[in-house]
Amino acid sequence: MDRLVIEGGFRLKGEVTVSGAKNSVLPVLAATLLTDDTCVIKDVPNLRDTNTMLKILRSLGKQVEYHKGIVTVSSNKCLNFVADYKLVSTMRASFCVLGPLLGRFRKARVSLPGGCVIGLRPVDLHIKGIRSLGAEVRVEGGYVIAEARRLRGSRMYLGGAFGSSVLATDNVMMAAVMAKGKTVIEAAACEPEVTDLADFLIKMGARIKGHGTPIIEIEGVDKLHGAIHKIIPDRIEAGTMMIAALITGGDLTIKNVLFQHQGALLDKLEEAGAIIKRFDSSLRVTRKGRLKPINVTTLPYPGFPTDMQAQIMSLMSITAGISVITEKIFPDRFMHVAELNRMGAHIQREGPHAIVEGVKGLSGAQVMASDLRASASLLLAGLAAKGKTSVSRIYHLERGYENIEKKIIELGGNIWREKE
Ligand code: UD1
């Protein structure tokens, strides 16, 4: 296992280009199961999670080629409808092969995703949705087994205790595109990645309206065909880079950003005193002096993303004053708090709130990454800290940030990898 060593104190400066969105590419790749035709997906980030999804597609019988950010998926043999535990347990997003397998073959056997360090992550909404389309669903030996003689469109409410679900909306949408008649999903997730998946399905011949709003309407069709699609930019990588500029007192131009996807984050950063210039597909981020504390509550899109909660906490840990961060999507997603405190931050957790008392500066320490976004928060803290920070279990970072070390080094950061 590798660890990442960061020598803090360098201001990041220059231009950086954001990769395609991880949370978009995973369901889009799963959607290629809905046809035997060739699909070409562009701007595919080279990530551990992407590679896991490509392995799953291969294990289901797809032919997959990946070259310079372009994935070509085709089929020349019968597809399998069993998604194995070994692959699904390593990544929760693999569960989104359930919808397309069921939609296409009327049967699917998909391992339940494993536990997750950011808290309980049930799949009840996924199951509720596909049951509503007429599938019989049972859980047996750790697998979800779904079968239907035919899927019929229906009206369903997919909201849960923590709001809408991104992957449940994706799964139901992919199962419904070839169901008989009309499906209406109420309380659908509105995240840009759900919209990107719907756009890809429409290119494949699906009839979908209302994606990007809480009510999605789908008119079933008999067959889908191949399509070419370019993945949207990763708004979480872009947000992480914005914070890298601010936490180091640097000056970054971040390219390949759709700022209409960044409303809540830009609002909060500007409230804290960041100077953000918006261009057609890029942003320039700087600050003058120390940032002010802010209160942040994570919410489903267009609210503040839970996937930026850990990173903004690192930033708030060195502002002048007290910030309160409330986590409303995954109330236990606070594994980074103890690690940031090891670096000299003053953060106290009170249930779903973290009270961050800003300190003058952080100091390098040995810390441990517990999940993807927590790793990003420790990397950011390390860039700002005095001295060396070493982040172990860095494989978490590789799940979601393409070439992150190279990008940071090109911007003037001093980071390297060591064997643990
Ligand atoms: C997706 C993202 C993840 C992000 C999350 C929330 C991908 C690959 N991952 O995960 O990066 O942090 O959205 O924006 O796109 N829930 C239920 N029952 C269910 C499903 C979810 O109660 O059946 C709850 C979850 O525990 C959570 C909330 O709903 O409290 C939102 O989770 P959800 O949107 O489903 O997260 P994912 O789609 O797994």
Short mmCIF file of all heavy atoms in Angstrom, two decimals, residues 9 51 77 83 119 135 158 164 205 214 217 263 265 267 279 282 306 340 389 402 409 411:
data_model
loop_
_atom_site.label_atom_id
_atom_site.label_comp_id
_atom_site.label_asym_id
_atom_site.label_seq_id
_atom_site.Cartn_x
_atom_site.Cartn_y
_atom_site.Cartn_z
N GLY A 9 2.73 24.37 2.46
CA GLY A 9 3.25 25.73 2.45
C GLY A 9 3.52 26.30 1.06
O GLY A 9 4.00 27.43 0.94
N ASN A 51 -12.36 1.58 -13.54
CA ASN A 51 -11.82 0.26 -13.91
C ASN A 51 -12.64 -0.86 -13.29
O ASN A 51 -12.83 -1.91 -13.92
CB ASN A 51 -10.34 0.18 -13.55
CG ASN A 51 -9.53 1.02 -14.54
OD1 ASN A 51 -9.67 0.85 -15.75
ND2 ASN A 51 -8.74 1.95 -14.05
N LYS A 77 -21.46 -11.70 -27.63
CA LYS A 77 -21.92 -12.98 -27.07
C LYS A 77 -23.05 -12.71 -26.09
O LYS A 77 -23.36 -11.55 -25.79
CB LYS A 77 -20.75 -13.70 -26.39
CG LYS A 77 -20.09 -12.94 -25.26
CD LYS A 77 -19.05 -13.83 -24.62
CE LYS A 77 -18.37 -13.05 -23.49
NZ LYS A 77 -17.37 -13.79 -22.79
N ALA A 83 -24.17 -10.25 -11.30
CA ALA A 83 -23.05 -9.38 -10.94
C ALA A 83 -22.50 -9.84 -9.60
O ALA A 83 -23.18 -9.79 -8.57
CB ALA A 83 -23.49 -7.93 -10.89
N GLY A 119 -21.19 5.50 6.62
CA GLY A 119 -22.44 5.25 7.34
C GLY A 119 -23.32 4.25 6.61
O GLY A 119 -22.95 3.72 5.57
N ALA A 135 -41.49 -5.94 -10.80
CA ALA A 135 -40.50 -7.01 -10.59
C ALA A 135 -40.73 -7.66 -9.23
O ALA A 135 -41.16 -7.01 -8.28
CB ALA A 135 -39.10 -6.43 -10.65
N LEU A 158 -40.05 8.21 -4.78
CA LEU A 158 -38.75 7.63 -4.41
C LEU A 158 -37.99 8.43 -3.34
O LEU A 158 -36.79 8.28 -3.20
CB LEU A 158 -37.85 7.50 -5.65
CG LEU A 158 -37.96 6.24 -6.49
CD1 LEU A 158 -36.74 6.09 -7.41
CD2 LEU A 158 -38.09 4.98 -5.64
N SER A 164 -33.90 12.51 -1.78
CA SER A 164 -33.91 11.64 -2.96
C SER A 164 -32.62 10.80 -2.99
O SER A 164 -31.67 11.09 -2.28
CB SER A 164 -33.98 12.51 -4.21
OG SER A 164 -32.95 13.47 -4.17
N GLY A 205 -32.18 6.20 -27.60
CA GLY A 205 -33.54 5.99 -28.10
C GLY A 205 -34.60 6.01 -27.01
O GLY A 205 -35.78 5.79 -27.30
N PRO A 214 -37.55 17.16 -9.94
CA PRO A 214 -37.92 16.03 -9.07
C PRO A 214 -38.97 15.10 -9.68
O PRO A 214 -39.32 14.09 -9.07
CB PRO A 214 -38.50 16.73 -7.83
CG PRO A 214 -38.14 18.17 -7.96
CD PRO A 214 -37.94 18.46 -9.40
N GLU A 217 -40.46 11.67 -16.17
CA GLU A 217 -41.45 10.85 -16.87
C GLU A 217 -40.76 10.05 -17.97
O GLU A 217 -39.96 10.59 -18.73
CB GLU A 217 -42.50 11.77 -17.52
CG GLU A 217 -43.34 12.46 -16.48
CD GLU A 217 -44.41 13.36 -17.11
OE1 GLU A 217 -44.57 13.32 -18.35
OE2 GLU A 217 -45.04 14.10 -16.37
N GLY A 263 -23.49 26.06 -8.13
CA GLY A 263 -24.13 27.21 -7.47
C GLY A 263 -23.91 27.27 -5.96
O GLY A 263 -23.44 28.28 -5.43
N LEU A 265 -21.82 25.74 -3.94
CA LEU A 265 -20.42 25.84 -3.50
C LEU A 265 -19.88 27.25 -3.76
O LEU A 265 -19.27 27.87 -2.87
CB LEU A 265 -19.57 24.79 -4.24
CG LEU A 265 -18.08 24.85 -3.96
CD1 LEU A 265 -17.78 24.56 -2.49
CD2 LEU A 265 -17.31 23.87 -4.85
N ASP A 267 -21.48 29.99 -4.01
CA ASP A 267 -22.15 30.92 -3.08
C ASP A 267 -21.44 30.92 -1.73
O ASP A 267 -21.15 31.97 -1.16
CB ASP A 267 -23.61 30.48 -2.95
CG ASP A 267 -24.40 31.42 -2.07
OD1 ASP A 267 -24.48 32.61 -2.43
OD2 ASP A 267 -24.91 30.98 -1.01
N PHE A 279 -15.72 32.33 -16.31
CA PHE A 279 -15.56 32.44 -17.76
C PHE A 279 -16.46 31.36 -18.40
O PHE A 279 -17.15 30.65 -17.68
CB PHE A 279 -14.10 32.25 -18.16
CG PHE A 279 -13.19 33.26 -17.49
CD1 PHE A 279 -12.47 32.92 -16.35
CD2 PHE A 279 -13.10 34.55 -17.99
CE1 PHE A 279 -11.65 33.86 -15.73
CE2 PHE A 279 -12.29 35.49 -17.36
CZ PHE A 279 -11.56 35.14 -16.23
N SER A 282 -14.57 27.95 -17.60
CA SER A 282 -13.51 27.91 -16.58
C SER A 282 -13.79 28.93 -15.49
O SER A 282 -14.65 29.80 -15.63
CB SER A 282 -12.15 28.16 -17.24
OG SER A 282 -12.09 29.47 -17.74
N THR A 306 -22.81 16.83 -0.33
CA THR A 306 -22.15 16.07 0.75
C THR A 306 -20.73 15.68 0.33
O THR A 306 -19.84 15.58 1.17
CB THR A 306 -22.96 14.82 1.16
OG1 THR A 306 -22.19 14.05 2.06
CG2 THR A 306 -23.33 13.94 -0.02
N LEU A 340 -8.18 15.55 10.99
CA LEU A 340 -7.88 16.99 10.88
C LEU A 340 -7.43 17.52 12.25
O LEU A 340 -6.53 18.36 12.34
CB LEU A 340 -9.09 17.77 10.36
CG LEU A 340 -9.44 17.54 8.87
CD1 LEU A 340 -10.76 18.21 8.50
CD2 LEU A 340 -8.32 18.05 7.95
N THR A 389 3.02 16.13 5.84
CA THR A 389 1.87 15.32 6.21
C THR A 389 1.97 14.03 5.44
O THR A 389 2.26 14.05 4.24
CB THR A 389 0.56 16.04 5.81
OG1 THR A 389 0.49 17.25 6.54
CG2 THR A 389 -0.68 15.20 6.10
N GLU A 402 -8.51 11.70 -10.91
CA GLU A 402 -7.60 11.25 -11.97
C GLU A 402 -6.30 12.07 -11.91
O GLU A 402 -6.36 13.31 -11.88
CB GLU A 402 -8.27 11.44 -13.33
CG GLU A 402 -7.47 10.85 -14.47
CD GLU A 402 -8.16 11.05 -15.82
OE1 GLU A 402 -8.67 12.16 -16.08
OE2 GLU A 402 -8.18 10.10 -16.60
N ILE A 409 1.36 18.69 -8.58
CA ILE A 409 2.78 19.02 -8.79
C ILE A 409 2.92 20.09 -9.87
O ILE A 409 3.66 21.06 -9.73
CB ILE A 409 3.58 17.74 -9.14
CG1 ILE A 409 3.66 16.84 -7.90
CG2 ILE A 409 4.98 18.08 -9.66
CD1 ILE A 409 4.12 15.43 -8.15
N LEU A 411 1.00 22.38 -10.50
CA LEU A 411 0.55 23.68 -9.97
C LEU A 411 1.52 24.23 -8.91
O LEU A 411 1.26 25.26 -8.31
CB LEU A 411 -0.86 23.55 -9.37
CG LEU A 411 -1.95 23.14 -10.37
CD1 LEU A 411 -3.25 22.82 -9.65
CD2 LEU A 411 -2.18 24.24 -11.41
#
